[in-house]
Amino acid sequence: MQEAMINKAKQLLADGIVDRVIGWKRGEFVYDITPAIFETAEELEKDFVYDDFTAANVSKYLVKESKKEGKILAFLKPCDTYSFNQLIKEHRVVRENVYIVGIPGGPKLDAEKIKEKGITGILSVKNENYTLKIETVYGEETMPFYEAVLDKCASCKSKKHMIYDELLGEEGDVLDSNRFDMVEKLENMTAQERYDFWREQLSKCIRCNACRNVCPACTCEKCVFDNPDSGIENKAPADSFEENMFHIIRAFHVAGRCTDCGECSRVCPQNIPLHLLNRKFIKDINTFYGEYQAGEDTTSRAPLNEYKQSDCEANIVHERGAE
Amino acid sequence: MQVNENKEFQPLIVAFCCNWCSYAGADLAGTNRLNYPDNIKIIRVPCSCRVNPMFILRAFQRGADGVILCGCHPGDCHYTSGNYFTRRRMTLLFSMLDFLGIERDRTRVEWVSAAEGAKFAATMNEFTEAVKKLGPNRRLEDLRCRKQ
Ligand code: SF4
Ligand code: SF4
Ligand code: SF4
Ligand code: FES
């Protein structure tokens, strides 16, 4: 895939269709893949990477990049196209300035999950019939491929691109996803159990704000969490109230807008399952107001910007059985 | 929250009331001399949809044991549709609080018109009783704000 992508990018640059390319570059370790801009064929040859660790969604970068002069080429996985669509809907990107090549998605790998197996010093990985062969500085190791897959890919909702100018590779389908399983499991616990579960998770938060920074729905120029008058500006949570508040407000702000790209959980250095909060909102919206997935289109109204006279009353939450 | 040694726990309740219906309803309850608990602190807002989730959380942070939001009946909002948006927002917010294991009976939305003084008093009595049963808010309190 990497070769085909580099060739495609070089050709589009040479034909003058695009002026820049947003892709990924390798950092210090093999699994350190971060988005980067390329301007020439030489740069592409030298640094462009697309492999099993390339999970970053580049659509948020296009908010800034698409406002610059000239056209930019972006390679988007199916999940990324939902985010890009949502950004178009919210008038955050200049569509004309982006040339989208749809590429097949994951499953992508989670280096943390490999390290959890005690495998360190990773030099390279190879998927051979769903056994992961890992070259390390200490010799070769193996593990089942699916045990190293990122959580967001394990509960993928769609392999179909929602928007593109051109496709590279085969198009997939919207999947019958298991993404609400864990939300349901939590819903079936008692309030005390849920409280304990979330205390354990949320108390790990160091308020690095990475989840907000990476989120393609969090594109506010002035975020509440940057407001010096709010008393909660860029600081570590002082107690359980602030932890709860940050997470409730962050999730609420993206309710009905979250494209379920899973980036927030992926980047969290503390491994907090943030997607469960977003998915709870998606699930509630589906049950209360009808099926809706942000990013599927660019025209429909967001569920929180809309209402029906026949909507359920808020008390529905209180009537939902004991505990 | 106020705890007095010989007295039972008296919850502190914050009631957000929209100016056009519920606040007038509260007024009517007053002029009709209907009883409702004095631990209800009313905050007047222009419309129920002025209340964003942060207001509710802040109220809990500053010591509320229960928060109730009152607005005009659906269809009667002074600004036509404000309360319909409120309804969706609060449904999702309360559901999220529940998901995080925070007692859902500490929050409520109620539609009270300017003519429903009696309903206002009854609602407040009922809600205060419900919160009293739950005891002091511990799961969504800010320790730094706890009154000794
Ligand atoms: S990325 Fe994780 S640790 Fe950082 S602010 Fe978000 S939840 Fe907290
Ligand atoms: S909240 Fe998380 S899953 Fe939703 S759009 Fe933002 S980063 Fe993606
Ligand atoms: S947390 Fe809220 S205010 Fe901040 S960027 Fe996200 S949506 Fe905007
Ligand atoms: S004015 Fe009463 S709810 Fe809008």
Side-chain angles (χ1 to χ4, degrees), chain A residues 60 209 211-213 215 217-226 246 249-255 257:
Chain A
K60 185 172 186 179
N209 284 336
C211 49
R212 176 206 60 184
N213 294 349
C215 173
C218 274
T219 55
C220 306
E221 282 174 16
K222 288 260 180 327
C223 171
V224 273
F225 299 115
D226 290 336
F246 173 73
I249 299 298
R250 187 202 64 83
F252 195 93
H253 281 190
V254 298
R257 303 165 53 237

Side-chain angles (χ1 to χ4, degrees), chain A residues 183 186 191-192 194-195 198 230 232 238-239 241-242 244-245 248-249 252 276-277 280-281 284-285 288-289 303-309 311-318 320-323, chain B residues 52-54 57-58 60-61 74-75 80-81 84-85 87-111 138-144:
Chain A
V183 175
L186 277 163
Q192 182 67 48
R194 281 198 296 272
Y195 183 73
W198 284 111
S230 65
I232 45 162
D239 63 5
F241 175 84
E242 286 195 346
N244 279 324
M245 188 210 53
I248 294 170
I249 299 298
F252 195 93
L276 293 177
L277 297 175
K280 169 66 179 163
F281 277 128
D284 276 349
I285 288 169
F288 296 145
Y289 312 122
L304 281 174
N305 289 349
E306 201 188 28
Y307 65 88
K308 283 207 191 77
Q309 296 192 346
D311 282 344
C312 57
E313 294 295 335
N315 295 353
I316 196 169
V317 177
H318 304 79
R320 241 174 1 202
E323 273 300 86
Chain B
N52 80 32
M54 198 74 153
L57 300 186
R58 278 272 193 247
F60 282 117
Q61 178 183 27
T80 319
S81 55
Y84 287 119
F85 293 103
R87 188 160 67 178
R88 282 202 171 188
R89 264 179 231 157
M90 291 304 142
T91 308
L92 292 180
L93 176 69
F94 295 173
S95 181
M96 179 50 80
L97 293 179
D98 183 37
F99 190 61
L100 291 172
I102 292 152
E103 305 94 332
R104 56 191 173 204
D105 291 334
R106 290 194 191 278
T107 44
R108 183 166 319 170
V109 173
E110 219 41 82
W111 310 125
R138 287 285 177 262
R139 293 186 178 174
L140 204 54
E141 78 164 340
D142 194 329
L143 285 173
R144 296 164 299 175

Side-chain angles (χ1 to χ4, degrees), chain A residues 32-86:
Chain A
D32 257 359
I33 311 284
T34 46
I37 306 282
F38 302 87
E39 287 181 349
T40 62
E42 293 72 48
E43 284 172 16
L44 284 163
E45 286 283 358
K46 189 162 152 277
D47 288 329
F48 188 95
V49 179
Y50 188 75
D51 64 7
D52 284 346
F53 285 119
T54 315
N57 173 357
V58 296
S59 48
K60 185 172 186 179
Y61 292 82
L62 296 170
V63 173
K64 286 223 171 85
E65 288 299 326
S66 74
K67 291 187 183 116
K68 295 183 183 163
E69 216 173 282
K71 206 160 173 157
I72 184 158
L73 163 64
F75 292 102
L76 299 184
K77 307 190 291 303
C79 46
D80 307 342
T81 61
Y82 283 80
S83 310
F84 189 71
N85 247 0
Q86 184 65 20

Side-chain angles (χ1 to χ4, degrees), chain A residues 57 83 86 210-212 214-218 250-251 254-255 257-267 274-275 278-279 282:
Chain A
N57 173 357
S83 310
Q86 184 65 20
C211 49
R212 176 206 60 184
V214 79
C215 173
C218 274
R250 187 202 64 83
V254 298
R257 303 165 53 237
C258 163
T259 55
D260 203 5
C261 67
E263 285 288 272
C264 44
S265 299
R266 184 181 70 84
V267 298
L274 293 161
H275 56 276
N278 309 314
R279 283 189 184 152
I282 297 178

